[in-house]
Amino acid sequence: KRDTIPLTVNYQLKLFKKLFEGESKNNIKKWIQEKQKTVLNDEFKPEDLTIRKKISKSPSGYKSDLLHVKIAKKLDLPVGSIVSYIITKGGDSTKLDGIPLSEFKGKWDRKYYWDQNVYPPLCRTLTAAFPEEDWLKYYLPREKKIKKIKHVKL
């Protein structure tokens, strides 16, 4: 798919190779932990993080406020253009935000990328290969919104 980032494709190919070569489940678990740590801490080329989506109609013709459409409007891109962008703020408790690849300065939402772009396809493959294992535990814990409690006088 066009919107699968190159980093994910690279990791998928490496995982398939490990599985086809008979790598042990324990070694694969260690590898997943290493990849998670890498995504959360290391630097990557912007091209490896870039999401690409096509604008199939005029940006004003979209009913919802999709991020790639918002960026296409900002860049004044014509119908049929490919919008290349990087997520800077994930959608946990905030609205999803991103910037065009051309404006990228190095800040990106690492947790969002792991949980939404990189790990889901790996998790699906691992679940099919080793269904007895809990692969969901490699998703990052979500930050919970704390509700304000009203104090009631008794």
Side-chain angles (χ1 to χ4, degrees), residues 44-122:
F44 292 92
K45 293 184 293 187
E47 296 78 21
D48 288 339
L49 306 170
T50 303
I51 299 168
R52 292 173 176 79
K53 294 203 178 197
K54 187 175 185 174
I55 296 294
S56 58
K57 55 187 170 185
S58 168
S60 60
Y62 286 86
K63 291 179 180 168
S64 57
D65 192 28
L66 302 169
L67 181 55
H68 72 290
V69 175
K70 189 169 96 174
I71 292 171
K73 284 179 189 175
K74 177 181 176 182
L75 298 175
D76 197 28
L77 296 175
V79 174
S81 295
I82 304 295
V83 181
S84 298
Y85 62 99
I86 293 178
I87 303 295
T88 56
K89 188 168 45 172
D92 234 12
S93 59
T94 59
K95 195 168 186 177
L96 191 64
D97 200 12
I99 56 169
L101 176 59
S102 60
E103 296 176 17
F104 182 66
K105 302 275 190 267
K107 183 180 177 276
W108 52 288
D109 190 328
R110 294 168 181 275
K111 289 181 178 181
Y112 176 86
Y113 269 82
W114 176 258
D115 279 351
Q116 301 298 319
N117 291 75
V118 176
Y119 190 60
L122 301 177

